[in-house]
Amino acid sequence: CLKKAKVDPCSIDIIVNSGVYKQKHIGEPALASMIQKNIGANPVWKGRGTFSFDLNNGGCGFLTGIELVNGFILSDPSKLGLVVTSDTEPVRGLSEGFDYKPLASAVLLKAGREDEGFYHFKSWTYPDYKNDLLGIVKFNHHSNNKHILIVDEKNSYLYDCAKCVNKSLDEFLNEMKIKKEEIDLVIASQSPHDFVDKLRECGFEDKVVDVTSKYGKIHTAGAGAALDQAIIDGRFKKAKNILFVLIGSGIIVSIGLY
């Protein structure tokens, strides 16, 4: 990401990591601080620093991180932010129901012209479906005393996600006074399985970027992978109104208009 953008890591002012499933269930120190050190983004204070932290918001964390960095840049247009996310099986071979592909995404954010960039963000929580997707860590005495991850995804999760997204989309588009026909591109979560197809059925059809055939089932890095593909294909540059639609357990829906 930094090489493509030809950006010096020391010019980055803020780093947000929004990954959920981490190697060996690492909680502390923040993975963002490790990333900061590894890429050489002012690991030692020399008159300039880089603020880094982890953010946990499930499958919507990537867009939430973008929203936070966007606010940071609005307060000071000279700032540069980096949002990263990744997921991996915490202990290889010792998880149940974990079928996400190991993948990472990163996006650099800076101030643009007045007529470009993110215009609005909004999130919704639907607690009635809080048990549709659960991630549980248990201590297993039979596996060398290691903690194992159990992911329990109900059969109804996909349909409940579609129901919640439809409701959120209607509210968001009405609030923004924009029609579905005016949306040129949709960057969305790539899980649960067939979620992209459900978005297409909402009226967006071929406007939704789908990278599941390329990468498989992706968790928090899905939207980033879709964004990268849209940039490579040239669809991002051509689009005027771009909708970011992310979904996560809770059920949480996060939408952003670019």
Side-chain angles (χ1 to χ4, degrees), residues 57 59-60 123-134 154 156-166 168 192 195 246-254:
N57 196 26
C60 297
S123 296
W124 297 257
T125 302
Y126 298 91
D128 289 346
Y129 309 106
K130 62 183 179 182
N131 294 321
D132 274 17
L133 177 61
L134 298 173
K154 300 292 190 297
S156 61
Y157 182 53
L158 171 64
Y159 303 99
D160 292 335
C161 284
K163 188 191 311 180
C164 296
V165 164
N166 270 322
S168 300
F195 177 68
L246 275 68
I247 191 87
S249 60
I251 287 174
I252 304 171
V253 179
S254 291

PDB file of all heavy atoms in Angstrom, residues 57 59-60 123-134 154 156-166 168 192 195 246-254:
ATOM      1  N   ASN A  57     -14.725  -3.486  16.042  1.00  0.00           N
ATOM      2  CA  ASN A  57     -16.137  -3.335  15.691  1.00  0.00           C
ATOM      3  C   ASN A  57     -16.551  -4.412  14.691  1.00  0.00           C
ATOM      4  O   ASN A  57     -17.306  -4.159  13.750  1.00  0.00           O
ATOM      5  CB  ASN A  57     -16.420  -1.936  15.120  1.00  0.00           C
ATOM      6  CG  ASN A  57     -17.911  -1.619  15.103  1.00  0.00           C
ATOM      7  OD1 ASN A  57     -18.683  -2.158  15.896  1.00  0.00           O
ATOM      8  ND2 ASN A  57     -18.330  -0.758  14.191  1.00  0.00           N
ATOM      9  N   GLY A  59     -17.122  -7.057  11.828  1.00  0.00           N
ATOM     10  CA  GLY A  59     -17.041  -6.955  10.379  1.00  0.00           C
ATOM     11  C   GLY A  59     -17.164  -5.543   9.846  1.00  0.00           C
ATOM     12  O   GLY A  59     -16.886  -5.300   8.671  1.00  0.00           O
ATOM     13  N   CYS A  60     -17.570  -4.590  10.694  1.00  0.00           N
ATOM     14  CA  CYS A  60     -17.720  -3.186  10.271  1.00  0.00           C
ATOM     15  C   CYS A  60     -16.512  -2.343  10.649  1.00  0.00           C
ATOM     16  O   CYS A  60     -16.472  -1.138  10.359  1.00  0.00           O
ATOM     17  CB  CYS A  60     -18.979  -2.578  10.891  1.00  0.00           C
ATOM     18  SG  CYS A  60     -20.510  -3.366  10.367  1.00  0.00           S
ATOM     19  N   SER A 123     -24.228   4.094  11.242  1.00  0.00           N
ATOM     20  CA  SER A 123     -24.244   2.697  11.679  1.00  0.00           C
ATOM     21  C   SER A 123     -25.512   2.375  12.446  1.00  0.00           C
ATOM     22  O   SER A 123     -26.105   3.249  13.082  1.00  0.00           O
ATOM     23  CB  SER A 123     -23.023   2.393  12.560  1.00  0.00           C
ATOM     24  OG  SER A 123     -21.820   2.519  11.843  1.00  0.00           O
ATOM     25  N   TRP A 124     -25.905   1.103  12.364  1.00  0.00           N
ATOM     26  CA  TRP A 124     -27.092   0.610  13.059  1.00  0.00           C
ATOM     27  C   TRP A 124     -26.738  -0.693  13.763  1.00  0.00           C
ATOM     28  O   TRP A 124     -25.912  -1.471  13.280  1.00  0.00           O
ATOM     29  CB  TRP A 124     -28.232   0.309  12.091  1.00  0.00           C
ATOM     30  CG  TRP A 124     -28.771   1.469  11.322  1.00  0.00           C
ATOM     31  CD1 TRP A 124     -29.920   2.159  11.547  1.00  0.00           C
ATOM     32  CD2 TRP A 124     -28.181   2.069  10.151  1.00  0.00           C
ATOM     33  NE1 TRP A 124     -30.086   3.146  10.602  1.00  0.00           N
ATOM     34  CE2 TRP A 124     -29.047   3.118   9.736  1.00  0.00           C
ATOM     35  CE3 TRP A 124     -27.013   1.817   9.413  1.00  0.00           C
ATOM     36  CZ2 TRP A 124     -28.766   3.902   8.632  1.00  0.00           C
ATOM     37  CZ3 TRP A 124     -26.726   2.605   8.318  1.00  0.00           C
ATOM     38  CH2 TRP A 124     -27.606   3.637   7.931  1.00  0.00           C
ATOM     39  N   THR A 125     -27.399  -0.934  14.897  1.00  0.00           N
ATOM     40  CA  THR A 125     -27.243  -2.199  15.608  1.00  0.00           C
ATOM     41  C   THR A 125     -28.605  -2.853  15.754  1.00  0.00           C
ATOM     42  O   THR A 125     -29.585  -2.196  16.127  1.00  0.00           O
ATOM     43  CB  THR A 125     -26.624  -1.985  17.005  1.00  0.00           C
ATOM     44  OG1 THR A 125     -25.356  -1.344  16.872  1.00  0.00           O
ATOM     45  CG2 THR A 125     -26.433  -3.322  17.717  1.00  0.00           C
ATOM     46  N   TYR A 126     -28.668  -4.147  15.447  1.00  0.00           N
ATOM     47  CA  TYR A 126     -29.914  -4.918  15.538  1.00  0.00           C
ATOM     48  C   TYR A 126     -29.715  -6.057  16.543  1.00  0.00           C
ATOM     49  O   TYR A 126     -29.409  -7.196  16.167  1.00  0.00           O
ATOM     50  CB  TYR A 126     -30.293  -5.469  14.166  1.00  0.00           C
ATOM     51  CG  TYR A 126     -30.556  -4.389  13.132  1.00  0.00           C
ATOM     52  CD1 TYR A 126     -29.533  -3.915  12.314  1.00  0.00           C
ATOM     53  CD2 TYR A 126     -31.824  -3.829  12.991  1.00  0.00           C
ATOM     54  CE1 TYR A 126     -29.770  -2.915  11.370  1.00  0.00           C
ATOM     55  CE2 TYR A 126     -32.076  -2.836  12.048  1.00  0.00           C
ATOM     56  CZ  TYR A 126     -31.046  -2.383  11.243  1.00  0.00           C
ATOM     57  OH  TYR A 126     -31.280  -1.398  10.311  1.00  0.00           O
ATOM     58  N   PRO A 127     -29.861  -5.763  17.834  1.00  0.00           N
ATOM     59  CA  PRO A 127     -29.574  -6.745  18.893  1.00  0.00           C
ATOM     60  C   PRO A 127     -30.464  -7.982  18.893  1.00  0.00           C
ATOM     61  O   PRO A 127     -30.115  -8.973  19.534  1.00  0.00           O
ATOM     62  CB  PRO A 127     -29.759  -5.920  20.179  1.00  0.00           C
ATOM     63  CG  PRO A 127     -30.660  -4.788  19.798  1.00  0.00           C
ATOM     64  CD  PRO A 127     -30.301  -4.462  18.388  1.00  0.00           C
ATOM     65  N   ASP A 128     -31.591  -7.930  18.177  1.00  0.00           N
ATOM     66  CA  ASP A 128     -32.449  -9.117  18.116  1.00  0.00           C
ATOM     67  C   ASP A 128     -31.723 -10.299  17.480  1.00  0.00           C
ATOM     68  O   ASP A 128     -32.114 -11.456  17.663  1.00  0.00           O
ATOM     69  CB  ASP A 128     -33.725  -8.826  17.310  1.00  0.00           C
ATOM     70  CG  ASP A 128     -34.676  -7.894  18.051  1.00  0.00           C
ATOM     71  OD1 ASP A 128     -34.472  -7.701  19.267  1.00  0.00           O
ATOM     72  OD2 ASP A 128     -35.602  -7.360  17.414  1.00  0.00           O
ATOM     73  N   TYR A 129     -30.657  -9.998  16.723  1.00  0.00           N
ATOM     74  CA  TYR A 129     -29.929 -11.054  16.018  1.00  0.00           C
ATOM     75  C   TYR A 129     -28.517 -11.243  16.586  1.00  0.00           C
ATOM     76  O   TYR A 129     -27.621 -11.711  15.887  1.00  0.00           O
ATOM     77  CB  TYR A 129     -29.850 -10.708  14.533  1.00  0.00           C
ATOM     78  CG  TYR A 129     -31.190 -10.369  13.927  1.00  0.00           C
ATOM     79  CD1 TYR A 129     -31.523  -9.054  13.604  1.00  0.00           C
ATOM     80  CD2 TYR A 129     -32.136 -11.367  13.697  1.00  0.00           C
ATOM     81  CE1 TYR A 129     -32.764  -8.741  13.062  1.00  0.00           C
ATOM     82  CE2 TYR A 129     -33.379 -11.057  13.155  1.00  0.00           C
ATOM     83  CZ  TYR A 129     -33.687  -9.735  12.843  1.00  0.00           C
ATOM     84  OH  TYR A 129     -34.913  -9.430  12.313  1.00  0.00           O
ATOM     85  N   LYS A 130     -28.330 -10.888  17.846  1.00  0.00           N
ATOM     86  CA  LYS A 130     -26.996 -10.926  18.447  1.00  0.00           C
ATOM     87  C   LYS A 130     -26.398 -12.325  18.519  1.00  0.00           C
ATOM     88  O   LYS A 130     -25.173 -12.483  18.613  1.00  0.00           O
ATOM     89  CB  LYS A 130     -27.035 -10.311  19.855  1.00  0.00           C
ATOM     90  CG  LYS A 130     -27.935 -11.061  20.829  1.00  0.00           C
ATOM     91  CD  LYS A 130     -27.989 -10.345  22.174  1.00  0.00           C
ATOM     92  CE  LYS A 130     -28.916 -11.078  23.154  1.00  0.00           C
ATOM     93  NZ  LYS A 130     -29.005 -10.374  24.452  1.00  0.00           N
ATOM     94  N   ASN A 131     -27.235 -13.348  18.493  1.00  0.00           N
ATOM     95  CA  ASN A 131     -26.725 -14.715  18.582  1.00  0.00           C
ATOM     96  C   ASN A 131     -26.569 -15.397  17.225  1.00  0.00           C
ATOM     97  O   ASN A 131     -26.248 -16.582  17.153  1.00  0.00           O
ATOM     98  CB  ASN A 131     -27.651 -15.563  19.470  1.00  0.00           C
ATOM     99  CG  ASN A 131     -27.647 -15.104  20.920  1.00  0.00           C
ATOM    100  OD1 ASN A 131     -26.604 -14.731  21.459  1.00  0.00           O
ATOM    101  ND2 ASN A 131     -28.807 -15.112  21.554  1.00  0.00           N
ATOM    102  N   ASP A 132     -26.784 -14.657  16.140  1.00  0.00           N
ATOM    103  CA  ASP A 132     -26.668 -15.245  14.794  1.00  0.00           C
ATOM    104  C   ASP A 132     -25.240 -15.658  14.466  1.00  0.00           C
ATOM    105  O   ASP A 132     -25.003 -16.639  13.760  1.00  0.00           O
ATOM    106  CB  ASP A 132     -27.161 -14.252  13.745  1.00  0.00           C
ATOM    107  CG  ASP A 132     -28.667 -14.328  13.547  1.00  0.00           C
ATOM    108  OD1 ASP A 132     -29.351 -14.887  14.424  1.00  0.00           O
ATOM    109  OD2 ASP A 132     -29.154 -13.830  12.509  1.00  0.00           O
ATOM    110  N   LEU A 133     -24.280 -14.863  14.936  1.00  0.00           N
ATOM    111  CA  LEU A 133     -22.865 -15.161  14.696  1.00  0.00           C
ATOM    112  C   LEU A 133     -22.094 -14.906  15.983  1.00  0.00           C
ATOM    113  O   LEU A 133     -22.041 -13.777  16.467  1.00  0.00           O
ATOM    114  CB  LEU A 133     -22.306 -14.292  13.570  1.00  0.00           C
ATOM    115  CG  LEU A 133     -20.812 -14.464  13.261  1.00  0.00           C
ATOM    116  CD1 LEU A 133     -20.498 -15.890  12.820  1.00  0.00           C
ATOM    117  CD2 LEU A 133     -20.362 -13.467  12.198  1.00  0.00           C
ATOM    118  N   LEU A 134     -21.514 -15.967  16.525  1.00  0.00           N
ATOM    119  CA  LEU A 134     -20.795 -15.867  17.796  1.00  0.00           C
ATOM    120  C   LEU A 134     -19.369 -16.379  17.639  1.00  0.00           C
ATOM    121  O   LEU A 134     -19.121 -17.364  16.940  1.00  0.00           O
ATOM    122  CB  LEU A 134     -21.497 -16.679  18.882  1.00  0.00           C
ATOM    123  CG  LEU A 134     -22.926 -16.261  19.257  1.00  0.00           C
ATOM    124  CD1 LEU A 134     -23.520 -17.277  20.230  1.00  0.00           C
ATOM    125  CD2 LEU A 134     -22.940 -14.869  19.872  1.00  0.00           C
ATOM    126  N   LYS A 154     -25.221 -19.150  12.623  1.00  0.00           N
ATOM    127  CA  LYS A 154     -26.536 -19.754  12.437  1.00  0.00           C
ATOM    128  C   LYS A 154     -26.928 -19.756  10.953  1.00  0.00           C
ATOM    129  O   LYS A 154     -26.487 -18.920  10.177  1.00  0.00           O
ATOM    130  CB  LYS A 154     -27.585 -18.973  13.238  1.00  0.00           C
ATOM    131  CG  LYS A 154     -27.333 -18.922  14.744  1.00  0.00           C
ATOM    132  CD  LYS A 154     -27.516 -20.301  15.379  1.00  0.00           C
ATOM    133  CE  LYS A 154     -27.517 -20.225  16.912  1.00  0.00           C
ATOM    134  NZ  LYS A 154     -26.255 -19.752  17.484  1.00  0.00           N
ATOM    135  N   SER A 156     -29.602 -18.859   9.717  1.00  0.00           N
ATOM    136  CA  SER A 156     -30.422 -17.680   9.417  1.00  0.00           C
ATOM    137  C   SER A 156     -29.605 -16.392   9.291  1.00  0.00           C
ATOM    138  O   SER A 156     -30.150 -15.339   8.946  1.00  0.00           O
ATOM    139  CB  SER A 156     -31.470 -17.491  10.519  1.00  0.00           C
ATOM    140  OG  SER A 156     -30.841 -17.292  11.778  1.00  0.00           O
ATOM    141  N   TYR A 157     -28.295 -16.471   9.548  1.00  0.00           N
ATOM    142  CA  TYR A 157     -27.473 -15.263   9.606  1.00  0.00           C
ATOM    143  C   TYR A 157     -27.511 -14.468   8.298  1.00  0.00           C
ATOM    144  O   TYR A 157     -27.712 -13.248   8.300  1.00  0.00           O
ATOM    145  CB  TYR A 157     -26.030 -15.623   9.962  1.00  0.00           C
ATOM    146  CG  TYR A 157     -25.100 -14.440  10.086  1.00  0.00           C
ATOM    147  CD1 TYR A 157     -25.416 -13.361  10.926  1.00  0.00           C
ATOM    148  CD2 TYR A 157     -23.900 -14.382   9.374  1.00  0.00           C
ATOM    149  CE1 TYR A 157     -24.569 -12.272  11.049  1.00  0.00           C
ATOM    150  CE2 TYR A 157     -23.044 -13.295   9.496  1.00  0.00           C
ATOM    151  CZ  TYR A 157     -23.382 -12.249  10.333  1.00  0.00           C
ATOM    152  OH  TYR A 157     -22.546 -11.159  10.449  1.00  0.00           O
ATOM    153  N   LEU A 158     -27.337 -15.135   7.167  1.00  0.00           N
ATOM    154  CA  LEU A 158     -27.340 -14.452   5.878  1.00  0.00           C
ATOM    155  C   LEU A 158     -28.653 -13.709   5.639  1.00  0.00           C
ATOM    156  O   LEU A 158     -28.652 -12.534   5.236  1.00  0.00           O
ATOM    157  CB  LEU A 158     -27.098 -15.452   4.748  1.00  0.00           C
ATOM    158  CG  LEU A 158     -27.276 -14.913   3.321  1.00  0.00           C
ATOM    159  CD1 LEU A 158     -26.248 -13.826   3.021  1.00  0.00           C
ATOM    160  CD2 LEU A 158     -27.171 -16.049   2.302  1.00  0.00           C
ATOM    161  N   TYR A 159     -29.765 -14.370   5.895  1.00  0.00           N
ATOM    162  CA  TYR A 159     -31.073 -13.767   5.637  1.00  0.00           C
ATOM    163  C   TYR A 159     -31.356 -12.621   6.603  1.00  0.00           C
ATOM    164  O   TYR A 159     -31.965 -11.617   6.221  1.00  0.00           O
ATOM    165  CB  TYR A 159     -32.152 -14.845   5.727  1.00  0.00           C
ATOM    166  CG  TYR A 159     -31.890 -15.983   4.766  1.00  0.00           C
ATOM    167  CD1 TYR A 159     -31.291 -17.162   5.196  1.00  0.00           C
ATOM    168  CD2 TYR A 159     -32.208 -15.856   3.413  1.00  0.00           C
ATOM    169  CE1 TYR A 159     -31.013 -18.193   4.299  1.00  0.00           C
ATOM    170  CE2 TYR A 159     -31.931 -16.878   2.520  1.00  0.00           C
ATOM    171  CZ  TYR A 159     -31.330 -18.045   2.960  1.00  0.00           C
ATOM    172  OH  TYR A 159     -31.060 -19.056   2.072  1.00  0.00           O
ATOM    173  N   ASP A 160     -30.898 -12.753   7.833  1.00  0.00           N
ATOM    174  CA  ASP A 160     -31.067 -11.673   8.802  1.00  0.00           C
ATOM    175  C   ASP A 160     -30.183 -10.477   8.436  1.00  0.00           C
ATOM    176  O   ASP A 160     -30.583  -9.321   8.596  1.00  0.00           O
ATOM    177  CB  ASP A 160     -30.745 -12.157  10.216  1.00  0.00           C
ATOM    178  CG  ASP A 160     -31.767 -13.167  10.727  1.00  0.00           C
ATOM    179  OD1 ASP A 160     -32.914 -13.142  10.243  1.00  0.00           O
ATOM    180  OD2 ASP A 160     -31.415 -13.974  11.607  1.00  0.00           O
ATOM    181  N   CYS A 161     -28.986 -10.764   7.913  1.00  0.00           N
ATOM    182  CA  CYS A 161     -28.104  -9.687   7.440  1.00  0.00           C
ATOM    183  C   CYS A 161     -28.769  -8.913   6.310  1.00  0.00           C
ATOM    184  O   CYS A 161     -28.760  -7.674   6.291  1.00  0.00           O
ATOM    185  CB  CYS A 161     -26.773 -10.268   6.953  1.00  0.00           C
ATOM    186  SG  CYS A 161     -25.635 -10.757   8.253  1.00  0.00           S
ATOM    187  N   ALA A 162     -29.361  -9.643   5.370  1.00  0.00           N
ATOM    188  CA  ALA A 162     -30.029  -9.015   4.232  1.00  0.00           C
ATOM    189  C   ALA A 162     -31.191  -8.142   4.699  1.00  0.00           C
ATOM    190  O   ALA A 162     -31.387  -7.020   4.197  1.00  0.00           O
ATOM    191  CB  ALA A 162     -30.527 -10.086   3.269  1.00  0.00           C
ATOM    192  N   LYS A 163     -31.933  -8.637   5.670  1.00  0.00           N
ATOM    193  CA  LYS A 163     -33.072  -7.894   6.203  1.00  0.00           C
ATOM    194  C   LYS A 163     -32.602  -6.585   6.865  1.00  0.00           C
ATOM    195  O   LYS A 163     -33.183  -5.509   6.628  1.00  0.00           O
ATOM    196  CB  LYS A 163     -33.803  -8.766   7.233  1.00  0.00           C
ATOM    197  CG  LYS A 163     -35.125  -8.193   7.720  1.00  0.00           C
ATOM    198  CD  LYS A 163     -35.653  -8.972   8.912  1.00  0.00           C
ATOM    199  CE  LYS A 163     -35.642 -10.474   8.691  1.00  0.00           C
ATOM    200  NZ  LYS A 163     -36.163 -11.223   9.859  1.00  0.00           N
ATOM    201  N   CYS A 164     -31.552  -6.683   7.669  1.00  0.00           N
ATOM    202  CA  CYS A 164     -31.037  -5.503   8.373  1.00  0.00           C
ATOM    203  C   CYS A 164     -30.418  -4.496   7.414  1.00  0.00           C
ATOM    204  O   CYS A 164     -30.595  -3.280   7.567  1.00  0.00           O
ATOM    205  CB  CYS A 164     -30.006  -5.929   9.416  1.00  0.00           C
ATOM    206  SG  CYS A 164     -30.669  -6.966  10.753  1.00  0.00           S
ATOM    207  N   VAL A 165     -29.696  -4.994   6.418  1.00  0.00           N
ATOM    208  CA  VAL A 165     -29.066  -4.106   5.439  1.00  0.00           C
ATOM    209  C   VAL A 165     -30.116  -3.375   4.608  1.00  0.00           C
ATOM    210  O   VAL A 165     -29.991  -2.170   4.345  1.00  0.00           O
ATOM    211  CB  VAL A 165     -28.105  -4.903   4.524  1.00  0.00           C
ATOM    212  CG1 VAL A 165     -27.748  -4.095   3.278  1.00  0.00           C
ATOM    213  CG2 VAL A 165     -26.837  -5.254   5.276  1.00  0.00           C
ATOM    214  N   ASN A 166     -31.166  -4.094   4.212  1.00  0.00           N
ATOM    215  CA  ASN A 166     -32.241  -3.461   3.444  1.00  0.00           C
ATOM    216  C   ASN A 166     -32.866  -2.301   4.205  1.00  0.00           C
ATOM    217  O   ASN A 166     -33.094  -1.216   3.654  1.00  0.00           O
ATOM    218  CB  ASN A 166     -33.325  -4.496   3.122  1.00  0.00           C
ATOM    219  CG  ASN A 166     -33.069  -5.210   1.811  1.00  0.00           C
ATOM    220  OD1 ASN A 166     -32.611  -4.605   0.849  1.00  0.00           O
ATOM    221  ND2 ASN A 166     -33.365  -6.486   1.764  1.00  0.00           N
ATOM    222  N   SER A 168     -31.519  -0.594   6.719  1.00  0.00           N
ATOM    223  CA  SER A 168     -30.526   0.475   6.899  1.00  0.00           C
ATOM    224  C   SER A 168     -30.308   1.262   5.621  1.00  0.00           C
ATOM    225  O   SER A 168     -30.191   2.490   5.639  1.00  0.00           O
ATOM    226  CB  SER A 168     -29.196  -0.127   7.376  1.00  0.00           C
ATOM    227  OG  SER A 168     -29.353  -0.812   8.603  1.00  0.00           O
ATOM    228  N   PRO A 192     -21.261 -12.710   5.204  1.00  0.00           N
ATOM    229  CA  PRO A 192     -21.317 -14.165   5.050  1.00  0.00           C
ATOM    230  C   PRO A 192     -21.433 -14.595   3.585  1.00  0.00           C
ATOM    231  O   PRO A 192     -21.589 -13.752   2.700  1.00  0.00           O
ATOM    232  CB  PRO A 192     -22.570 -14.542   5.836  1.00  0.00           C
ATOM    233  CG  PRO A 192     -23.437 -13.322   5.768  1.00  0.00           C
ATOM    234  CD  PRO A 192     -22.486 -12.169   5.843  1.00  0.00           C
ATOM    235  N   PHE A 195     -23.547 -12.988   0.605  1.00  0.00           N
ATOM    236  CA  PHE A 195     -24.010 -11.656   1.003  1.00  0.00           C
ATOM    237  C   PHE A 195     -23.977 -10.687  -0.181  1.00  0.00           C
ATOM    238  O   PHE A 195     -24.872  -9.835  -0.334  1.00  0.00           O
ATOM    239  CB  PHE A 195     -23.160 -11.109   2.155  1.00  0.00           C
ATOM    240  CG  PHE A 195     -23.526  -9.709   2.567  1.00  0.00           C
ATOM    241  CD1 PHE A 195     -24.748  -9.452   3.172  1.00  0.00           C
ATOM    242  CD2 PHE A 195     -22.671  -8.644   2.327  1.00  0.00           C
ATOM    243  CE1 PHE A 195     -25.115  -8.156   3.539  1.00  0.00           C
ATOM    244  CE2 PHE A 195     -23.012  -7.350   2.698  1.00  0.00           C
ATOM    245  CZ  PHE A 195     -24.235  -7.110   3.300  1.00  0.00           C
ATOM    246  N   LEU A 246     -21.059  -2.364   4.964  1.00  0.00           N
ATOM    247  CA  LEU A 246     -20.403  -3.410   5.740  1.00  0.00           C
ATOM    248  C   LEU A 246     -21.354  -3.989   6.773  1.00  0.00           C
ATOM    249  O   LEU A 246     -22.206  -3.280   7.323  1.00  0.00           O
ATOM    250  CB  LEU A 246     -19.148  -2.868   6.421  1.00  0.00           C
ATOM    251  CG  LEU A 246     -17.872  -2.882   5.556  1.00  0.00           C
ATOM    252  CD1 LEU A 246     -17.987  -1.880   4.410  1.00  0.00           C
ATOM    253  CD2 LEU A 246     -16.645  -2.547   6.391  1.00  0.00           C
ATOM    254  N   ILE A 247     -21.164  -5.283   7.038  1.00  0.00           N
ATOM    255  CA  ILE A 247     -22.042  -6.006   7.964  1.00  0.00           C
ATOM    256  C   ILE A 247     -21.191  -6.794   8.949  1.00  0.00           C
ATOM    257  O   ILE A 247     -20.096  -7.244   8.620  1.00  0.00           O
ATOM    258  CB  ILE A 247     -22.987  -6.950   7.175  1.00  0.00           C
ATOM    259  CG1 ILE A 247     -24.087  -7.512   8.066  1.00  0.00           C
ATOM    260  CG2 ILE A 247     -22.215  -8.070   6.510  1.00  0.00           C
ATOM    261  CD1 ILE A 247     -25.298  -6.654   8.161  1.00  0.00           C
ATOM    262  N   GLY A 248     -21.689  -6.935  10.162  1.00  0.00           N
ATOM    263  CA  GLY A 248     -20.953  -7.714  11.162  1.00  0.00           C
ATOM    264  C   GLY A 248     -21.891  -8.292  12.194  1.00  0.00           C
ATOM    265  O   GLY A 248     -23.085  -7.975  12.229  1.00  0.00           O
ATOM    266  N   SER A 249     -21.353  -9.157  13.027  1.00  0.00           N
ATOM    267  CA  SER A 249     -22.168  -9.791  14.070  1.00  0.00           C
ATOM    268  C   SER A 249     -22.734  -8.724  14.982  1.00  0.00           C
ATOM    269  O   SER A 249     -22.153  -7.670  15.179  1.00  0.00           O
ATOM    270  CB  SER A 249     -21.325 -10.788  14.863  1.00  0.00           C
ATOM    271  OG  SER A 249     -20.235 -10.142  15.493  1.00  0.00           O
ATOM    272  N   GLY A 250     -23.880  -9.011  15.498  1.00  0.00           N
ATOM    273  CA  GLY A 250     -24.515  -8.020  16.388  1.00  0.00           C
ATOM    274  C   GLY A 250     -26.028  -7.958  16.291  1.00  0.00           C
ATOM    275  O   GLY A 250     -26.686  -7.959  17.295  1.00  0.00           O
ATOM    276  N   ILE A 251     -26.599  -7.840  15.105  1.00  0.00           N
ATOM    277  CA  ILE A 251     -26.008  -7.525  13.809  1.00  0.00           C
ATOM    278  C   ILE A 251     -25.738  -6.022  13.722  1.00  0.00           C
ATOM    279  O   ILE A 251     -26.554  -5.212  14.144  1.00  0.00           O
ATOM    280  CB  ILE A 251     -26.951  -7.965  12.667  1.00  0.00           C
ATOM    281  CG1 ILE A 251     -26.959  -9.496  12.528  1.00  0.00           C
ATOM    282  CG2 ILE A 251     -26.574  -7.352  11.332  1.00  0.00           C
ATOM    283  CD1 ILE A 251     -27.986 -10.024  11.512  1.00  0.00           C
ATOM    284  N   ILE A 252     -24.567  -5.681  13.170  1.00  0.00           N
ATOM    285  CA  ILE A 252     -24.192  -4.284  12.968  1.00  0.00           C
ATOM    286  C   ILE A 252     -24.127  -4.005  11.476  1.00  0.00           C
ATOM    287  O   ILE A 252     -23.592  -4.802  10.717  1.00  0.00           O
ATOM    288  CB  ILE A 252     -22.819  -3.965  13.604  1.00  0.00           C
ATOM    289  CG1 ILE A 252     -22.807  -4.321  15.091  1.00  0.00           C
ATOM    290  CG2 ILE A 252     -22.473  -2.500  13.413  1.00  0.00           C
ATOM    291  CD1 ILE A 252     -21.435  -4.236  15.722  1.00  0.00           C
ATOM    292  N   VAL A 253     -24.680  -2.876  11.071  1.00  0.00           N
ATOM    293  CA  VAL A 253     -24.592  -2.423   9.679  1.00  0.00           C
ATOM    294  C   VAL A 253     -23.934  -1.049   9.671  1.00  0.00           C
ATOM    295  O   VAL A 253     -24.329  -0.163  10.423  1.00  0.00           O
ATOM    296  CB  VAL A 253     -25.982  -2.321   9.013  1.00  0.00           C
ATOM    297  CG1 VAL A 253     -25.856  -1.825   7.589  1.00  0.00           C
ATOM    298  CG2 VAL A 253     -26.710  -3.663   9.053  1.00  0.00           C
ATOM    299  N   SER A 254     -22.920  -0.891   8.827  1.00  0.00           N
ATOM    300  CA  SER A 254     -22.253   0.409   8.678  1.00  0.00           C
ATOM    301  C   SER A 254     -22.248   0.785   7.198  1.00  0.00           C
ATOM    302  O   SER A 254     -21.877  -0.028   6.355  1.00  0.00           O
ATOM    303  CB  SER A 254     -20.818   0.374   9.209  1.00  0.00           C
ATOM    304  OG  SER A 254     -20.810   0.252  10.606  1.00  0.00           O
TER     305      SER A 254
END
